[in-house]
């Protein structure tokens, strides 16, 4: 280490898109000689990459910012920046509210980070950049190779959303849907494969709506077909998919394209037609169930996971039981479940029939208990079966064990040497637990 080394510390809140955006921030700052650090006290720049989808992650950002005041008092050269959804939503208000904050950069301004930080350093004045652009430049940013290259990598294929579900802040803070050009996506994946990456996860708010905003471009199934042909790549995952845009062509891709993993994350949000309509989701309970069943017909081993919400305004006991019933019928492999959280500026936040906190908490508890049972049963049902695992690294618990995932996205731990990392290995599932499987090589 030389005395002139400069360090950047990034803390990420929220989803995989944000995790990946943070990787991109580190990449462009590395081009300006900033090295990543996990030690906040050593940092010259501290960036918080934020989420405002629910109230909880948003509150966490404010507490984290509060704690940074002392560091700034000790080091006046420190630059503190906030990016992501809270930055986009609050803009200059955030700078007015938090005096020790230097920079607010919105979701379309990530590529400008070096320039914006340079401005703050030169002027020592607060800076705000939250414009939306026709083109999202950061979509084409490739994260640089790292010394501990992973087996899997995220690849953004689109950003933003045009759907305006009545509860959701995303279209306001991420902007309209922007798909990345397929040539750029394919080029990035080829480069990743040359670096040893064996699995990519295509990211977007609604990946299967990919291309709808591009004239004459590829559809999502066509994009998958092209990625499937890239030599050296073994697995393709993608998230999140929107039920209304699940085409027959996409369903068939699960059976046809050998590198496409047999897993889909398909949020349903509610099992009640009344609630789905008020959410502006664009599908009915029956249509969702039909798509799920069709996926299982075409590909019986497919893993289906979803997002679901309880306590949306107007949700009565009957509606909630329809949600539980849908879960029982489809037997999800796992669920991300949330209490509805009113978001300022969305339509649902204005609905008069908001549900009280204790009812929301109770419903969430009931739902999670049901899903816990189903997940365990589905994991146990795999005992004795044979699965192909892409080995991703050493197990957290033991150095003699490695960890990886099944095509259906279940974590499997088994005895094996680090040489297996990056390889596809056949294992026999010995035991199914609540969150993972235990396997044995054959
Ligand atoms: N585009 C995806 C879709 O429509 O299925 C979901 C993206 S959203 C950022 C991720 C998840 O956050 C949603 O599926 C939903 O369950 C949850 N979510 C979004 N807004 C919420 C809110 N106001 N309260 C609680 N959960 C919310
Ligand atoms: Fe939000 Fe709905 Fe768009 Fe998903 S589809 S990001 S829930 S508005």
């Amino acid at each position: 280490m030389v005395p002139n080394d400069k360090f950047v510390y990034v803390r990420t809140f929220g989803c995989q898109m944000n995790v990946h955006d943070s990787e991109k921030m580190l990449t462009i700052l590395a081009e300006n000689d900033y090295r990543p650090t996990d030690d906040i006290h050593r940092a010259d720049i501290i960036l918080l990459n934020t989420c405002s989808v629910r109230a909880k992650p948003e509150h966490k950002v404010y507490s984290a910012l509060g704690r940074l005041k002392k560091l700034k008092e000790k080091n006046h050269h420190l630059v503190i920046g906030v990016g992501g959804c809270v930055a986009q939503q609050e803009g200059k208000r955030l700078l007015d509210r938090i005096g020790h904050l230097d920079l607010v950069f919105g979701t379309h301004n990530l590529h400008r980070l070096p320039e914006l930080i340079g401005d703050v350093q030169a002027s020592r004045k607060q800076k705000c950049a939250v414009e939306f652009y026709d083109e999202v430049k950061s979509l084409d940013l490739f994260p640089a190779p790292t010394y501990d290259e992973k087996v899997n990598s995220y690849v953004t294929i689109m950003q933003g959303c045009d759907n305006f579900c009545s509860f959701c802040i995303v279209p306001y803070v991420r902007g309209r849907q922007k798909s990345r050009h397929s040539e750029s996506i394919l080029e990035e994946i080829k480069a990743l494969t040359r670096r040893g990456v064996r699995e990519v996860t295509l990211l977007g708010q609604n990946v299967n709506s990919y291309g709808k905003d591009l004239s004459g471009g590829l559809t999502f199934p066509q994009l998958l077909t092209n990625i499937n042909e890239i030599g050296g790549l073994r697995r393709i995952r993608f998230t999140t998919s929107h039920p209304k845009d699940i085409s027959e062509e996409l369903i068939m891709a699960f059976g046809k394209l050998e590198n496409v993993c047999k897993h889909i994350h398909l949020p349903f949000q509610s099992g009640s037609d009344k609630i789905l309509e008020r959410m502006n989701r664009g599908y009915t309970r029956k249509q969702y169930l039909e798509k799920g069943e069709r996926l299982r017909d075409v590909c019986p081993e497919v893993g289906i996971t979803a997002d679901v919400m309880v306590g949306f305004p107007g949700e009565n006991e009957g509606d909630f039981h329809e949600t539980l019933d849908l879960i029982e019928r489809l037997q999800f492999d796992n669920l991300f479940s949330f209490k509805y959280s009113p978001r300022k500026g969305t339509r649902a936040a204005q609905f008069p029939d908001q549900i009280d906190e204790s009812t929301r908490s109770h419903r969430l508890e009931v739902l999670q208990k049901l899903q816990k049972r189903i997940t365990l049963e589905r994991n146990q049902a795999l005992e004795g079966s044979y699965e192909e695992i892409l080995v991703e690294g050493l197990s957290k618990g033991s150095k003699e064990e490695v960890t990886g995932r099944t095509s259906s996205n279940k974590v499997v731990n088994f005895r094996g040497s680090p040489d297996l990392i990056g390889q596809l290995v056949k294992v026999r599932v010995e035991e199914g637990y609540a969150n993972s499987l235990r396997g044995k090589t054959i």
Side-chain angles (χ1 to χ4, degrees), residues 61-216:
V61 173
Y62 287 103
S63 342
L65 273 172
R67 288 194 297 273
L68 295 181
K69 193 167 179 207
K70 279 213 174 85
L71 283 180
K72 183 77 179 197
E73 282 165 359
K74 276 196 234 154
N75 173 7
H76 292 288
H77 296 288
L78 177 67
V79 175
I80 302 177
V82 172
C85 298
V86 176
Q88 189 64 50
Q89 180 183 292
E90 297 300 315
K92 196 170 167 308
R93 279 196 300 270
L94 204 54
L95 291 172
D96 295 340
R97 184 169 159 186
I98 296 159
H100 58 280
L101 181 61
D102 301 290
L103 172 64
V104 167
F105 58 104
T107 53
H108 280 203
N109 283 274
L110 194 157
H111 66 286
R112 292 181 58 203
L113 251 188
E115 163 212 332
L116 296 168
I117 289 172
D119 284 353
V120 168
Q121 286 166 331
S123 67
R124 294 315 314 175
K125 285 203 180 112
Q126 289 185 320
K127 182 105 195 162
C128 178
V130 290
E131 304 82 355
F132 279 136
Y133 303 104
D134 284 341
E135 205 187 326
V136 186
K137 288 252 172 63
S138 61
L139 276 181
D140 290 320
L141 269 174
F142 293 18
T146 54
Y147 65 94
D148 61 343
E149 200 67 76
K150 298 208 173 64
V151 172
N152 36 24
S153 187
Y154 291 132
V155 174
T156 314
I157 65 163
M158 51 96 75
Q159 174 170 323
C161 179
D162 295 339
N163 289 329
F164 290 92
C165 297
S166 61
F167 53 81
C168 185
I169 199 72
V170 166
Y172 305 97
V173 291
R174 289 263 169 189
R176 293 298 87 73
Q177 171 168 327
K178 304 273 182 209
S179 297
R180 181 175 168 193
H181 288 284
S182 56
E183 298 80 25
S184 170
I185 298 171
L186 293 164
E187 195 190 319
E188 174 171 358
I189 299 176
K190 283 177 192 159
L192 289 168
T193 309
R194 285 194 294 272
R195 271 154 50 177
V197 167
R198 293 288 164 259
E199 174 183 291
V200 289
T201 302
L202 310 177
L203 293 181
Q205 256 80 34
N206 301 294
V207 276
N208 57 325
S209 315
Y210 172 83
K212 285 185 149 190
D213 54 307
L214 295 173
S215 62

Side-chain angles (χ1 to χ4, degrees), residues 23 25 29 36 64 69 85 127 130 145 230 239 248 291 299 305 342 345 350 358 394 401 405:
E23 292 169 354
M25 290 178 196
L29 289 174
K69 193 167 179 207
C85 298
K127 182 105 195 162
V130 290
I230 295 177
T239 193
E248 182 62 16
K291 295 215 168 147
C299 181
T305 57
Q350 307 292 329
S358 73
L394 292 175
E401 284 196 352
R405 277 174 297 158

